Amino acid sequence: MQLSQLTEGLGARPTLPGADPLIRGITYDSRCVAPGDLFVALRGAQADGHDYLRQAASLGAVALLVERAPADPSLPPAAVVADTRRALAPLAVRFFGAPGEELTLVGVTGTNGKTSTTFLIESMLRAAGIPAGLIGTVEVRGPGLRRRARNTTPESLDLQRSLRALHTKGARTVAMEVSSHGLALGRVAGCRFAVGAITNLSQDHLDFHDGMEDYAEAKALLFREHLAPSGAAVINVDDPQARRFLDAAAQGGAQLLRVSRDPAAQAEVRVLEAQSCIAGTRARLAAPCGELSLALPLPGDFNLENLAVAVGVAAALGLPREAIEQGASQCPQVPGRVERIGAELPEAPTVLVDYAHTPDALVNLLRALRPLCKGRLFTVFGCGGDRDRGKRPLMAEAVARFSDLAIATSDNPRTENPQRILDDIAAGLGALRRMAPEQIEAGQFRGQSAWCALVDRRAAIALAIRSAEAADTVVIAGKGHEDYQVVGGEMRPFDDRREALRALQERG
C-alpha cells in the first residue's frame, strides 16, 4: 500500500511532495524496523520516537509519520500530522483491512474484573461452538494463536494486527478488555463493539487521569463512541456510577441489559442465590433466556459480579442457556486471580495469589475470603512506584480491616524509592500493631493483629508462609500473573506464584 493511501484523510502534510513509497509494514519501535516499513514516531512517558528517526532509517524505514518535520534532509520522506498516536489507529485499520468489521467484538471495561469476565465470556462462546478469541491483560489467544500481552488494551497497531491474526486463524467473536488508557488514547478507534460491558468503577490510574470524573468519562467512551449501531450495553447497575454509563449507552441507541446482585432489582440479569467457598461458587441467576444454575470453579464472592456481567454479554449475543451453564462450569483458572498455590502439599496453609492492586479490589477480595478462612488471614501486598500515591494508604486500610497479619513490601517500585512507598503505606495500617520482621519470625504476633514492612518481596512472601499454620490463609496481592518486577529501569524475573511454591516447599 502506498504512503498516500495510508495517510489519506488524516490531514497529513508530506515533507517531500511527490514521494510516495510503497509501505510493506508499520512499526512504532525503532528497534523493530524492517526494510520497507513506515516508522511512526510516538511520544511516550519515557521516550520520544522523534529521537529515533535516524535509527529507523538505518534499518530500512522507507517513510516516517511524525508530528514535526525532520530537519535532516537525508531521512526518508515523512508525513506530518498533529498527533501520531491518534493517527496510528485509522492508519492501522486501513493497513490491516479493518478486521474488526469481520469479527463480532465484545468489549469489557471496568476497574476490576475485566480479565475474569472475558475468560468467562470466551468459555461460554466455546461451549456454544463459536470460535472465540481473547485479548487482555494476560494474553492474546484464539484458534491456533497464543502470545503474551504487553498492555491490557494493546496499542492500536498491535490491536489491529491481533484482530487480523485472530480472524485469519478462524476466530469469529473476540472478547477484549478495554482499559481507560485504551479509550482515552484512542487505541480502540476503528473498533465497533457488538456488546460493550462494564463491571465496576473505583479509584485507579489517577496518575494518568485528571481525577475520578475524567477516569469515569474515559470509561463511558466505550458506550458513547464505540458501540456498533445495533449494539448492546451490559451495565452493572449496582455500581454508583451506573447512571452515567446507562445514559452514555442510551445516547447511542444501544440495547440495554442491566445486571445486579439484588434479586429484586429492575435488571434483566439478577443473582437469585449464591454460595461460595475456596473451591468455587454456585449460583442461580435470572436471565432473559430463563433461570440459570451455574457452577463456577472460581472462588470469591466478588466473582458473582463478573459472572453476572458475563451472563449479560452471553444473553446479548443470543447464546443458549446450555452454553452459558456449560461455559461457566468449564471456565479455566484465570492466571493470578485467586489462584491457589501448592494445594497438593500436606499440612500447607491455603496460599492464594491475586492481581488485586486497588483499594476496592483488595476490599472485595479480602472481604470475600475472610469468612472462608478456617484460621488466620495473612496478606502480603505492596503499591506500584511512580503511580497514584493517594491510593496507597487506602489499600493499606483495606488490608488492615480484614487481616490478622499484613506484610507490606515492594510491588513494582520502578524509579521510586521503595522505602518511601512503604512509608505511604504505613499511614493506612494504624489499626494494626507494627512489629519488626524478626518479631513476626519469632511468632510474637500471635493473639493480636500486626503488620511489618519488608522491602524484599521474596523475603516477605517467605516470611508469611513460614509464619502460617495449616489452617491459615495467605493472600499475596498485587502482581497476580506477572512474572517480572520493575526495579529502576530494569525488568527483573519475578513470579509470586513460583516464590510462593518455593516457600511452601522449603517450609516442609
Side-chain angles (χ1 to χ4, degrees):
M1 187 176 291
Q2 306 298 133
L3 177 63
S4 61
Q5 294 175 292
L6 276 176
T7 58
E8 184 179 356
L10 299 181
R13 177 172 53 85
T15 57
L16 293 175
D20 195 16
L22 177 66
I23 305 302
R24 300 184 182 277
I26 306 171
T27 184
Y28 55 84
D29 187 336
S30 60
R31 298 164 298 182
C32 298
V33 171
D37 278 359
L38 167 67
F39 174 66
V40 181
L42 301 183
R43 289 180 292 107
Q46 305 296 328
D48 186 344
H50 294 81
D51 297 333
Y52 299 92
L53 301 181
R54 186 180 296 277
Q55 178 180 347
S58 69
L59 291 175
V62 295
L64 311 170
L65 189 73
V66 294
E67 294 177 3
R68 55 181 183 270
D72 187 345
S74 68
L75 290 175
V80 183
V81 295
D83 187 330
T84 51
R85 193 176 296 277
R86 294 284 177 183
L88 181 59
L91 188 145
V93 170
R94 191 168 296 164
F95 185 80
F96 288 106
E101 296 179 4
E102 303 171 54
L103 292 159
T104 299
L105 300 181
V106 175
V108 179
T109 195
T111 304
N112 303 309
K114 296 186 295 296
T115 302
S116 296
T117 302
T118 53
F119 269 59
L120 278 162
I121 294 166
E122 178 201 37
S123 186
M124 292 172 183
L125 287 166
R126 288 180 174 175
I130 298 172
L134 182 143
I135 297 176
T137 304
V138 177
E139 62 186 357
V140 175
R141 71 178 183 222
L145 177 67
R146 190 167 200 162
R147 59 172 175 257
R148 186 173 167 178
R150 294 177 59 185
N151 298 310
T152 296
T153 304
E155 189 60 72
S156 57
L157 178 65
D158 304 317
L159 174 57
Q160 295 300 322
R161 180 182 289 115
S162 294
L163 291 174
R164 173 51 65 200
L166 286 167
H167 184 269
T168 300
K169 292 287 188 178
R172 291 300 172 259
T173 301
V174 175
M176 187 170 100
E177 294 183 51
V178 185
S179 67
S180 60
H181 288 69
L183 289 159
L185 294 173
R187 292 176 184 168
V188 294
C191 292
R192 289 292 176 265
F193 295 92
V195 185
I198 184 160
T199 55
N200 50 61
L201 190 83
S202 62
Q203 182 175 334
D204 199 13
H205 302 307
L206 297 191
D207 53 297
F208 176 79
H209 295 286
D210 187 18
M212 284 299 294
E213 179 70 18
D214 183 57
Y215 178 43
E217 276 303 300
K219 296 288 192 186
L221 291 174
L222 173 62
F223 306 102
R224 188 174 290 118
E225 297 184 4
H226 295 288
L227 286 183
S230 58
V234 178
I235 312 290
N236 173 20
V237 295
D238 296 339
D239 191 88
Q241 290 279 357
R243 175 47 55 189
R244 179 194 301 268
F245 304 117
L246 289 167
D247 290 345
Q251 289 174 19
Q255 171 196 354
L256 294 178
L257 268 165
R258 297 160 296 180
V259 305
S260 174
R261 292 184 54 167
D262 182 357
Q266 295 295 313
E268 286 71 28
V269 177
R270 304 183 309 281
V271 179
L272 303 177
E273 182 183 18
Q275 302 88 35
S276 184
C277 65
I278 290 295
T281 304
R282 287 187 172 275
R284 286 193 307 114
L285 275 72
C289 59
E291 188 173 302
L292 300 165
S293 295
L294 302 170
L296 180 66
L298 305 178
D301 180 72
F302 54 88
N303 266 314
L304 286 173
E305 182 177 272
N306 304 328
L307 178 62
V309 172
V311 168
V313 170
L317 293 172
L319 302 189
R321 58 179 296 174
E322 295 79 11
I324 298 174
E325 291 177 337
Q326 183 182 345
S329 68
Q330 294 178 346
C331 184
Q333 168 66 55
V334 185
R337 303 317 190 265
V338 204
E339 184 174 353
R340 188 167 182 184
I341 308 299
E344 71 285 355
L345 298 176
E347 297 301 312
T350 299
V351 178
L352 303 169
V353 172
D354 194 81
Y355 193 52
H357 60 282
T358 68
D360 189 59
L362 280 168
V363 167
N364 290 336
L365 173 68
L366 299 177
R367 181 171 55 198
L369 294 178
R370 177 83 255 188
L372 306 181
C373 296
K374 297 178 181 178
R376 299 166 297 175
L377 177 61
F378 297 178
T379 306
V380 180
F381 77 108
C383 300
D386 302 332
R387 297 293 187 268
D388 177 16
R389 292 183 68 186
K391 74 178 184 181
R392 293 173 185 172
L394 301 179
M395 291 172 62
E397 288 171 9
V399 171
R401 180 177 164 189
F402 296 101
S403 304
D404 298 294
L405 173 65
I407 301 180
T409 187
S410 297
D411 189 285
N412 289 320
R414 300 183 178 88
T415 63
E416 194 170 351
N417 185 333
Q419 189 57 56
R420 188 179 85 150
I421 299 173
L422 292 179
D423 291 342
D424 288 345
I425 291 173
L429 290 170
L432 307 180
R433 180 185 175 188
R434 182 164 191 173
M435 291 185 170
E438 294 77 15
Q439 293 175 289
I440 302 298
E441 185 81 57
Q444 295 179 22
F445 69 98
R446 286 184 173 84
Q448 57 189 307
S449 298
W451 77 278
C452 73
L454 198 54
V455 169
D456 187 324
R457 191 173 181 91
R458 178 175 287 112
I461 292 171
L463 175 61
I465 290 175
R466 278 200 309 272
S467 304
E469 298 173 357
D472 296 334
T473 298
V474 178
V475 174
I476 305 168
K479 292 179 61 59
H481 65 283
E482 293 178 354
D483 59 1
Y484 60 86
Q485 189 176 35
V486 184
V487 181
E490 182 183 357
M491 187 176 286
R492 301 176 181 175
F494 192 96
D495 190 320
D496 281 356
R497 297 164 295 181
R498 289 188 179 185
E499 296 302 327
L501 184 59
R502 178 185 291 127
L504 282 167
Q505 291 168 339
E506 290 176 353
R507 179 180 184 277

